[in-house]
Amino acid sequence: MLRALLGSALVCIGGVAQELEQESASDTASTPPNTTEGEAGASVPQRRVSRTPLPGDIVGVLYHDGRRFQGMLIEQSDDAVRFSVSGVEIEVDLDDVERVYFIGTPMERYMELREGIADDDAAGLIDLARWLLANDLVELALLEARLALRAEPRNAEAMRLVHRLEVVNDLRKSDRDSAESSTDGAERTGRSEVPWASVPLLAPGQIQLLKVYEVDLADPPRVAIGRETVDRLLREHADHELIPNSDEGRAAFRDLSALEVLDVMFRVQARELYPEVEVIGHPRSFRIFRDEVLLAWLATSCASTACHGGGDAGGLQLVGGVPRSDEAVYTNFLILDRFRTSLGQPLIDYDRPESSLLVQFASPQEEVLWPHPEVAGWSPSPVSRNTRLRERTIAWIEAMYQPRPTYPIVYPPEPVQEAMSPGSEPPPPAPEPTPR
């Protein structure tokens, strides 16, 4: 029965036993690639490192007869090992296996797999999304499935997978919302706070204001502006040359699209009216930040509980927990945007994106001018091993509105200064931004 179940869930590659006999005894030696399938479907090159497997890790199971499978470790005792393969739990007697060895964490395996898949490789992205779903990384799976659908808009398999993942993701979000609403003592006035957030979250009105300031009129999201707001614009800025002064002109102005009205708002700098503009969806720059920076690496490394998302975060504390929520996306952005080191350096250099400390800190430390400060428990981000992620992070910074606006948002707490590496000096200050 067990053999039949394993056979239906995985495909074992022949010749592994002979290959293993030729390996050195060192745990750091690499093994030849093999392939495991099932719902995951993606080719998974295996590697071995000196690390004891922990629950949640991707592990390899080597049988005495040479068969080798992989899955997510659930539990290991003195007598048996239990792991999950494509959602199917399997328990194996340790007497039947030669060893159980660590392959990587799900995020590490994802980073390695993603490195070899092009953005226009729909089939590869679909396989990767299935592998992510099988390893309970639903939000990343949805991101990759949407990229597959973008690469091939008529791909029926990608359509079905996106729909399925959206349903799963919505159900999980609903469960989280229910858990949050049932938690006692959650204050949601002014700035909202929820159990998974260790820092204050931006309120909905503040999030809307950030969206307005970052609208790209060349590639805009949907925008709605009420008639009363349009009338206020006509009345309160009547002396501006862009505002018509005749009844006929004002009547024509009221027939403009919301984006055309917003364009005029920006030009006359009617900032007092920005809070009355509703942006439906996200500006392009924030979509890139959410999908290609926050979800792709920031939330799983810098904003994790073991780093800047936990109690020992130091001066820079980010929102962890539910990285896709609007509160987490926009709060994390504002924290990064406003943070300054003890030497006055910003994390984001909008004039020279590749020099941004956010990029430098996440790069191979031997290759950068501004390495991450040496602090207890710190380890390099996945971005440091992934040129593609660094390029996307730089592309996000380049996509932010220029000249940089000054957001009229009061956000506590004030950032705490963080020390730089010994002997480092700050770059020249960026020019004063011109507000929108």
Side-chain angles (χ1 to χ4, degrees):
M1 178 65 181
L2 175 60
R3 290 179 181 270
L5 182 59
L6 283 170
S8 65
L10 300 166
V11 175
C12 180
I13 299 301
V16 173
Q18 182 178 355
E19 293 169 354
L20 285 173
E21 290 173 0
Q22 297 171 354
E23 291 180 348
S24 72
S26 171
D27 282 339
T28 60
S30 61
T31 63
N34 69 11
T35 302
T36 57
E37 293 185 345
E39 184 181 7
S43 297
V44 182
Q46 294 193 358
R47 61 183 173 84
R48 298 165 60 196
V49 296
S50 182
R51 159 94 141 71
T52 301
L54 299 172
D57 288 341
I58 304 299
V59 298
V61 178
L62 174 64
Y63 281 75
H64 295 303
D65 61 7
R67 292 174 299 139
R68 180 165 59 181
F69 306 110
Q70 76 167 38
M72 180 182 290
L73 179 64
I74 299 174
E75 183 181 20
Q76 182 173 346
S77 66
D78 293 337
D79 303 318
V81 59
R82 190 157 53 94
F83 61 102
S84 171
V85 180
S86 299
V88 178
E89 289 193 13
I90 299 170
E91 185 169 318
V92 177
D93 193 323
L94 286 180
D95 290 338
D96 296 334
V97 303
E98 183 173 321
R99 63 189 176 96
V100 177
Y101 56 94
F102 173 78
I103 293 178
T105 67
M107 275 305 303
E108 288 173 341
R109 303 301 297 138
Y110 162 63
M111 300 298 296
E112 293 175 0
L113 290 170
R114 189 61 177 88
E115 186 72 22
I117 302 175
D119 288 349
D120 59 355
D121 181 3
L125 292 169
I126 289 171
D127 284 345
L128 179 62
R130 288 174 172 163
W131 185 89
L132 288 164
L133 175 60
N135 287 281
D136 206 32
L137 298 172
V138 177
E139 292 179 337
L140 282 173
L142 181 57
L143 169 63
E144 300 296 355
R146 284 173 172 164
L147 285 177
L149 190 58
R150 185 187 306 172
E152 294 184 8
R154 297 186 179 182
N155 188 310
E157 191 174 0
M159 291 180 189
R160 288 193 295 270
L161 185 57
V162 166
H163 175 70
R164 176 186 178 189
L165 288 166
E166 285 177 340
V167 171
V168 173
N169 197 47
D170 287 346
L171 287 173
R172 292 192 174 199
K173 186 176 186 302
S174 176
D175 290 342
R176 289 194 298 262
D177 291 344
S178 297
E180 291 165 8
S181 63
S182 63
T183 302
D184 294 333
E187 297 290 337
R188 295 184 181 271
T189 58
R191 66 179 192 269
S192 61
E193 295 186 48
V194 291
W196 47 261
S198 56
V199 296
L201 301 178
L202 291 176
Q206 295 172 317
I207 292 172
Q208 274 296 322
L209 195 54
L210 281 176
K211 290 182 179 183
V212 172
Y213 272 92
E214 288 298 328
V215 167
D216 181 356
L217 293 171
D219 184 13
R222 289 176 56 203
V223 172
I225 301 177
R227 177 64 174 269
E228 291 183 2
T229 302
V230 176
D231 287 341
R232 280 191 62 195
L233 176 63
L234 291 170
R235 183 174 62 254
E236 296 176 8
H237 294 270
D239 56 347
H240 196 282
E241 61 181 9
L242 293 178
I243 302 298
N245 53 21
S246 67
D247 290 342
E248 187 177 83
R250 285 190 287 269
F253 189 91
R254 293 186 181 96
D255 290 334
L256 294 177
S257 69
L259 283 172
E260 290 172 319
V261 173
L262 182 60
D263 186 20
V264 174
M265 273 191 189
F266 288 152
R267 291 173 184 271
V268 305
Q269 295 189 335
R271 299 187 188 95
E272 76 283 359
L273 299 180
Y274 293 178
E276 299 181 21
V277 178
E278 181 181 4
V279 177
I280 303 164
H282 304 277
R284 174 175 174 270
S285 58
F286 279 118
R287 292 200 308 269
I288 298 174
F289 172 69
R290 180 194 64 190
D291 296 340
E292 300 183 4
V293 179
L294 187 62
L295 290 179
W297 66 271
L298 194 68
T300 54
S301 55
C302 296
S304 68
T305 55
C307 195
H308 290 287
D312 298 324
L316 176 62
Q317 190 163 21
L318 299 171
V319 179
V322 189
R324 182 174 285 276
S325 71
D326 286 0
E327 294 93 340
V329 171
Y330 288 86
T331 303
N332 277 330
F333 162 74
L334 192 64
I335 291 171
L336 295 173
D337 177 77
R338 291 187 171 177
F339 186 82
R340 299 294 184 271
T341 69
S342 58
L343 296 178
Q345 292 170 292
L347 286 180
I348 306 171
D349 187 335
Y350 294 99
D351 295 314
R352 298 170 298 174
E354 69 282 353
S355 299
S356 297
L357 291 183
L358 183 66
V359 177
Q360 298 264 307
F361 286 174
S363 300
Q365 300 300 278
E366 67 278 4
E367 298 178 8
V368 298
L369 182 62
W370 312 106
H372 191 286
E374 292 292 337
V375 293
W378 176 81
S379 61
S381 160
V383 182
S384 65
R385 303 185 301 274
N386 193 316
T387 302
R388 174 178 154 274
L389 285 181
R390 289 200 299 278
E391 290 175 348
R392 288 189 170 193
T393 302
I394 292 170
W396 157 63
I397 298 173
E398 293 173 338
M400 295 298 289
Y401 179 78
Q402 290 282 8
R404 292 301 300 149
T406 301
Y407 307 118
I409 294 175
V410 177
Y411 177 75
E414 293 294 329
V416 178
Q417 303 294 324
E418 180 170 302
M420 289 297 301
S421 301
S424 59
E425 297 179 1
E432 192 68 25
T434 302
R436 194 167 202 172

